[in-house]
Amino acid sequence: MAKVLIHATLTLDGYMADPEGGVDWMFDVDATDEDAELVNRVVGEVGAVVGGANRSRTIEDGEEPYGGLPGVPVYLMTHEAQEPMVKDGVTYTFVVDDIAGAVERAKADAGEKAVSLLGGRISRQCLQRGLVDEIQLHVVPILLGAGISLFTGLDQRVNLELVEDASFGDGVHLRYRVLR
């Protein structure tokens, strides 16, 4: 069965986006070939995605998780029902207020691959429910000073075991197993 993975790029001060939700700062970091290889390996493990829907419940250009990873189903959490949509061969299913159900459906679709959780709120909810198996972080050498945090608001202790670390350029890649 698929494992559930929080996969995020963070600044050194723990933000995954600036205060307006922007991630343009990610493109200011020079990555080595080894950095790209490691990130591509992790992305290659992804068999399904669970994330949050935008306010308009649309899939705008540039909003596709992983750039619209071909053939990988995406489950988007929302508070209002909407029919699934297909964009560029990717099916986006909107799930109303049932994150555990969305994760189970994504795990079934992912098979032996991983379910990637995207977004702070989604990641924290899944951690609180004991649904997360691993956390993969790419930490870049930028301090934003303010922004959207991945873990702020978790409000519980989660013990982790480091299973992989790497540093090729200026950034650090950390992979942890969630201990239960």
Side-chain angles (χ1 to χ4, degrees), residues 5 7-8 42-43 46 48-49 63-70 72 116-118:
L5 171 73
H7 183 218
V42 175
V43 171
V46 175
V49 174
E63 290 183 339
E64 304 92 342
Y66 296 107
L69 202 57
V72 175
S116 178
L117 303 175
L118 299 181

Side-chain angles (χ1 to χ4, degrees), residues 28-152:
D28 293 339
V29 177
D30 291 327
T32 67
D33 290 342
E34 293 90 350
D35 290 316
E37 184 178 311
L38 187 146
V39 170
N40 288 335
R41 177 177 51 85
V42 175
V43 171
E45 295 175 16
V46 175
V49 174
V50 176
N54 65 19
R55 293 187 194 287
S56 60
R57 291 182 308 285
T58 59
I59 310 301
E60 303 297 327
D61 288 337
E63 290 183 339
E64 304 92 342
Y66 296 107
L69 202 57
V72 175
V74 178
Y75 292 87
L76 298 173
M77 301 307 303
T78 185
H79 297 294
E80 295 179 33
Q82 179 171 328
E83 290 297 314
M85 65 175 57
V86 177
K87 181 179 181 190
D88 299 327
V90 176
T91 300
Y92 296 86
T93 302
F94 295 87
V95 180
V96 179
D97 298 329
D98 182 12
I99 196 157
V103 169
E104 283 308 309
R105 290 171 65 185
K107 285 173 72 172
D109 285 343
E112 295 299 315
K113 289 193 161 197
V115 173
S116 178
L117 303 175
L118 299 181
R121 184 173 301 142
I122 299 300
S123 296
R124 289 187 302 271
Q125 288 178 26
C126 288
L127 276 169
Q128 290 167 332
R129 288 170 174 78
L131 302 174
V132 178
D133 299 303
E134 293 186 0
I135 300 172
Q136 172 76 51
L137 302 176
H138 310 289
V139 183
V140 297
I142 295 173
L143 298 171
L144 288 180
I148 300 171
S149 168
L150 181 57
F151 297 115
T152 297

